[in-house]
Amino acid sequence: MTHTSHTHAHHYDSVRGSQNLDAAAAALADAERVFVGAGAGLSAAAGYDYTDRDRFAELFPWLKKAGFNARYELIGYPLPPRHQWGFWAVHVRDIRLGNEPSAIYQQLRIAVGERDHFVMSSNVDGLFARNGFDPDLVFTPQGDYALYQCHSPCTREVWDARPILERAYATLDPQTGQIDEDAVPTCPNCGGEVYLNINAGRFYIADHFAPTGRDLQAWLRNAQDTSAKVAVLDIGSGYNTPGVIRWPTEQITRALPNATLIRINRDHPDVPADLTDRAFSLSGDAQAFISHLTRTNH
């Protein structure tokens, strides 16, 4: 399984030209602290793209035959349990449970370097922790595919999803996409239905992410109390769920007088009017930008 991204220079395309990219790189190099806000666009740039039709057809031929074309169409779609867990088993195995490195995440880790930093990501794929970032400095308010929970929920506990997903995958019928009835997981506590520990409704349990969220709040308060220059990187956060990453990065920039917002976004690089004097708007290939930032910072 390979995930590829393009790094050709001709993908550079910023709202204010290449000088804008160089100025953004200089602002990042000059910062003493770095806050990274990451949306779905960053993982898409790493090759984990929910709109990728070719990858979908390769992984889910039975769903392709049923008329689906991309993973995003399945998010929230009510499949029967044996099909649902067949989908999760393949999807999560591909997107979360592998160990292969991601060049773009590793380059981002190099760009941040040894500086004081914190990450907030809407992605539930664990790619920051899998590519050199300290998990204690990565806040993922939308959840993690590697965990599961009771759907009721009867308890606030969550569990490692690997065993249930491996069991489901082992019984998957590649013709129908169904798993065996006895491989459909149930709650270890009440025996009822379970769901992956991701924000898909009011049943979502986020308690165990809260301590990292509190650490992030403390980090931001500390940044407000010092005169340190802060680079706020906002990568790949669009308007699907702007309240998770996009708007918070803007609010953080406003709250920190010495902060500079660097927004990297293929489709929505725009920045608010009140931040234009300390924000950079970069539209184009995230991998190309981040590799440029890495070279400039080292």
Side-chain angles (χ1 to χ4, degrees):
M1 179 179 69
T2 58
H3 295 274
T4 57
S5 297
H6 302 289
T7 55
H8 306 302
H10 66 254
H11 281 120
Y12 290 147
D13 170 37
S14 74
V15 169
R16 284 172 283 177
S18 58
Q19 285 176 314
N20 195 40
L21 178 60
D22 291 336
L28 176 59
D30 198 33
E32 296 149 85
R33 290 176 159 220
V34 181
F35 175 79
V36 180
L42 178 58
S43 284
Y48 299 90
D49 188 347
Y50 282 57
T51 66
D52 186 334
R53 291 174 168 235
D54 294 338
R55 184 76 180 143
F56 182 84
E58 182 188 333
L59 288 174
F60 307 101
W62 60 91
L63 289 169
K64 175 79 177 158
K65 272 186 210 153
F68 295 98
N69 291 296
R71 294 187 222 218
Y72 74 86
E73 296 172 14
L74 274 301
I75 305 305
Y77 189 89
L79 291 171
R82 289 172 65 188
H83 284 95
Q84 180 66 68
W85 286 97
F87 170 74
W88 285 133
V90 176
H91 171 62
V92 178
R93 198 170 194 255
D94 174 60
I95 223 158
R96 173 66 180 91
L97 302 182
N99 294 315
E100 66 280 359
S102 163
I104 190 169
Y105 276 85
Q106 291 187 333
Q107 285 169 349
L108 185 57
R109 182 69 194 89
I110 292 165
V112 170
E114 297 311 305
R115 288 175 290 183
D116 190 6
H117 66 276
F118 221 104
V119 173
M120 182 164 72
S121 176
S122 63
N123 300 325
V124 295
D125 50 28
L127 279 165
F128 279 99
R130 287 156 59 189
N131 287 281
F133 284 85
D134 181 345
D136 291 339
L137 302 177
V138 180
F139 179 45
T140 57
Q142 298 294 84
D144 187 342
Y145 276 144
L147 301 169
Y148 76 109
Q149 62 164 89
C150 180
H151 195 282
S152 295
C154 70
T155 171
R156 306 304 292 176
E157 202 176 344
V158 299
W159 305 280
D160 181 3
R162 287 172 184 84
I164 64 164
L165 291 165
E166 282 166 12
R167 189 165 173 232
Y169 189 81
T171 74
L172 179 73
D173 180 337
Q175 297 304 313
T176 65
Q178 278 197 129
I179 64 166
D180 288 356
E181 187 68 49
D182 64 1
V184 174
T186 53
C187 175
N189 191 54
C190 74
E193 278 183 47
V194 293
Y195 203 82
L196 294 173
N197 185 218
I198 56 175
N199 189 1
R202 294 178 67 179
F203 59 85
Y204 171 55
I205 299 168
D207 308 21
H208 48 290
F209 300 114
T212 315
R214 286 192 289 273
D215 290 345
L216 169 56
Q217 293 294 337
W219 188 89
L220 290 169
R221 279 195 301 275
N222 186 260
Q224 214 167 6
D225 292 343
T226 68
S227 57
K229 291 180 182 173
V230 183
V232 179
L233 287 174
D234 174 15
I235 311 168
S237 71
Y239 285 105
N240 280 347
T241 53
V244 182
I245 302 295
R246 189 178 181 93
W247 294 341
T249 58
E250 295 169 5
Q251 294 290 74
I252 287 165
T253 306
R254 290 185 184 104
L256 303 176
N258 292 314
T260 302
L261 175 64
I262 301 171
R263 173 162 283 158
I264 301 171
N265 199 297
R266 189 188 66 191
D267 302 318
H268 303 288
D270 48 296
V271 295
D274 65 306
L275 292 176
T276 48
D277 60 337
R278 53 194 184 104
F280 293 96
S281 168
L282 306 173
S283 74
D285 187 305
Q287 173 110 26
F289 288 137
I290 290 168
S291 55
H292 183 88
L293 296 176
T294 307
R295 286 196 300 275
T296 309
N297 276 265
H298 291 267

